[in-house]
Amino acid sequence: MLKLFYAPGSCAMASHIALEEAGAAYDAVKVDLVGGDQRKPEYLAINPKGRVPALVTDRGILTENPAILAFVAQTHPAAGLAPLDDAYEFGRVQSFNSYLCSTVHVAHAHRLRAYRWADDPAAIAEMRRKVPQNVGECFDLIENEMFKGPWVMGERFTISDPYLFTLAGWLKGDSVELARFPKIHDHHQRMKQRPAVAKVLPLHQS
């Protein structure tokens, strides 16, 4: 039995949706980030990074969405969540997910967690000011260059779709209009109609 540690409003929703899409047997454990659960010894023993998601497997613990998403796809091949038989196409999936993790998420994090990069209040304020521009430029690139349609990778739904859906859900808070990106907006609406998303989404609304 897999065990996913998640927090409402966090990027862990991507892995949570993927587990549902895969039909995986798992338990979901809520981590109260506002209450500081992520800093308690019990959780740090699971993930010393003090962040979510974390996935407990029978072989150990995985962290970071790209790794967990790939694990879910590879351990549930019948669900068809990644092109596992094509190294190049699977690399494209990993490339997209890595961009969301290393660039888009970081651009967003400058709004709420700028203190990770600076102590000077003026510097923190400037980072926050740039968030709408930086996040908007990231989604411009996805909309115009990376999104194939109707799903991220084309005709086939993959683990990239719940990840994009999760981060696109943060746009309003970053003062960026989702409607500015027609393909991503359409994708977001169709994702909400999927049974896995309808089941998971209420658990992640903070």
Side-chain angles (χ1 to χ4, degrees), residues 106-124:
V106 173
H108 159 80
H110 279 69
R111 176 169 64 89
L112 297 175
R113 299 180 179 87
Y115 58 82
R116 290 178 178 169
W117 295 279
D119 296 314
D120 181 1
I124 290 174

Side-chain angles (χ1 to χ4, degrees), residues 52-194:
V52 292
L55 184 70
V56 179
T57 79
D58 60 357
R59 295 183 60 184
I61 299 169
L62 292 172
T63 62
E64 307 298 337
N65 271 309
I68 294 173
L69 291 168
F71 174 83
V72 171
Q74 290 172 318
T75 54
H76 298 80
L81 295 178
L84 302 177
D85 57 347
D86 188 321
Y88 176 77
E89 289 300 317
F90 187 60
R92 288 182 59 240
V93 170
Q94 294 290 73
S95 176
F96 183 86
N97 289 352
S98 295
Y99 179 69
L100 295 184
C101 182
S102 65
T103 302
V104 182
H105 193 154
V106 173
H108 159 80
H110 279 69
R111 176 169 64 89
L112 297 175
R113 299 180 179 87
Y115 58 82
R116 290 178 178 169
W117 295 279
D119 296 314
D120 181 1
I124 290 174
E126 179 62 8
M127 281 190 280
R128 288 175 175 166
R129 186 190 67 79
K130 288 273 289 184
V131 166
Q133 176 186 339
N134 292 339
V135 169
E137 289 176 354
C138 288
F139 276 85
D140 279 333
L141 181 64
I142 294 171
E143 174 82 8
N144 297 319
E145 302 293 339
M146 303 172 75
F147 188 95
K148 299 303 179 184
W151 303 109
V152 172
M153 291 294 145
E155 295 295 328
R156 182 175 182 174
F157 181 94
T158 69
I159 49 176
S160 295
D161 291 293
Y163 206 178
L164 176 62
F165 174 76
T166 297
L167 270 60
W170 297 348
L171 284 172
K172 184 177 180 179
D174 290 338
S175 300
V176 181
E177 290 295 329
L178 178 58
R180 170 177 157 185
F181 316 102
K183 290 187 289 186
I184 299 172
H185 179 269
D186 175 68
H187 175 267
H188 202 74
Q189 300 309 310
R190 284 185 291 108
M191 283 292 295
K192 289 181 179 179
Q193 304 305 312
R194 296 182 71 88

